[in-house]
Amino acid sequence: VSPGTQTVAVDRQTLRSAFEELSPERSKAFGAQLRGAIRRHPADPYFYILGGGAALAGGEGDPLRWVRLALERGPREGRAHLLLATILVRRGANRQALLHYRLAAEHEAALSKSAMTSAARLVQTPDDVKAIAGSDSSSSNLLAQLAVALVEYAVLHGIRRYTCMIEIENIPSLIAPGWCSNPLGPPKAIDGEMVGAFELAMSATTL
């Protein structure tokens, strides 16, 4: 393919390879390659995602600006949401990050395990779980993946038990996987919702 007529596929592969080999010494050359690809394919969000990843690693520009440009061109780009979540975590905006981990998983199924594994490290309250669950038909699947990620995290870090609060309508989804769950008391009304408290035993057999 002659210069100036590179297809999107060729430019994507070339820039992806350059990104994977990115180092401080190669940052300037990568920036030049990236700008060339963007001139050829200004509507493709993929190159802006790479730009955001490079900026986050210490390259050119503000990573948030790169992600904004990516999402303007592809609002349903899962990798853009995953990158945005990573940036938000670094800036201490964990609740917002959880929302974008959810969007990454919803928009790109191949990213769901990675997104939920990252989200599991941030979950501390029922509101955190709600930020991931959302309110659509995909919520039960995401919650199931989050549950697996939480168990994996516990096993890796020597956590023997979790305590959690859950709405009574979601208790069956807590019990269904066969977890060793012990109620910590009868359900109570909190902010107009009936909520139960449980202790969950964690071990490799839980998986």
Side-chain angles (χ1 to χ4, degrees):
V1 180
S2 60
T5 61
Q6 287 98 323
T7 64
V8 170
V10 169
D11 271 338
R12 280 188 170 206
Q13 181 58 49
T14 299
L15 266 295
R16 180 66 192 177
S17 297
F19 179 79
E20 290 174 349
E21 298 175 356
L22 191 60
S23 66
E25 295 76 19
R26 298 181 179 182
S27 178
K28 187 174 181 179
F30 175 80
Q33 284 182 283
L34 183 62
R35 288 190 293 273
I38 288 173
R39 282 195 296 270
R40 290 187 289 274
H41 318 290
D44 191 330
Y46 182 79
F47 302 109
Y48 298 90
I49 295 170
L50 288 183
L56 190 63
E60 295 182 9
D62 176 4
L64 275 178
R65 178 178 178 275
W66 283 105
V67 173
R68 177 177 60 78
L69 292 169
L71 289 172
E72 285 176 356
R73 288 156 177 79
R76 298 178 63 84
E77 280 288 329
R79 293 188 181 278
H81 287 286
L82 192 63
L83 177 59
L84 179 52
T86 302
I87 295 169
L88 291 168
V89 169
R90 290 196 181 187
R91 300 189 179 194
N94 289 358
R95 184 66 56 77
Q96 288 177 278
L98 288 171
L99 168 63
H100 288 283
Y101 281 132
R102 172 169 67 84
L103 291 173
E106 287 180 348
H107 296 328
E108 197 165 338
L111 298 177
S112 59
K113 179 174 175 57
S114 173
M116 291 302 100
T117 297
S118 297
R121 300 170 186 152
L122 305 179
V123 170
Q124 295 183 350
T125 70
D127 285 340
D128 291 338
V129 176
K130 289 179 181 178
I132 294 170
S135 58
D136 54 28
S137 59
S138 67
S139 62
S140 60
N141 182 48
L142 290 181
L143 284 174
Q145 293 183 66
L146 176 64
V148 171
L150 284 167
V151 175
E152 291 175 340
Y153 184 84
V155 172
L156 285 173
H157 294 84
I159 298 170
R160 299 179 62 183
R161 62 183 60 85
Y162 286 125
T163 56
C164 71
M165 296 172 64
I166 184 170
E167 293 86 353
I168 56 172
E169 64 267 22
N170 291 323
I171 289 177
S173 66
L174 181 71
I175 298 172
W179 289 9
C180 182
S181 56
N182 299 311
L184 298 177
K188 293 185 177 181
I190 298 178
D191 295 331
E193 292 186 286
M194 293 301 293
V195 175
F198 287 82
E199 180 183 82
L200 308 175
M202 295 290 112
S203 70
T205 58
T206 308
L207 291 168

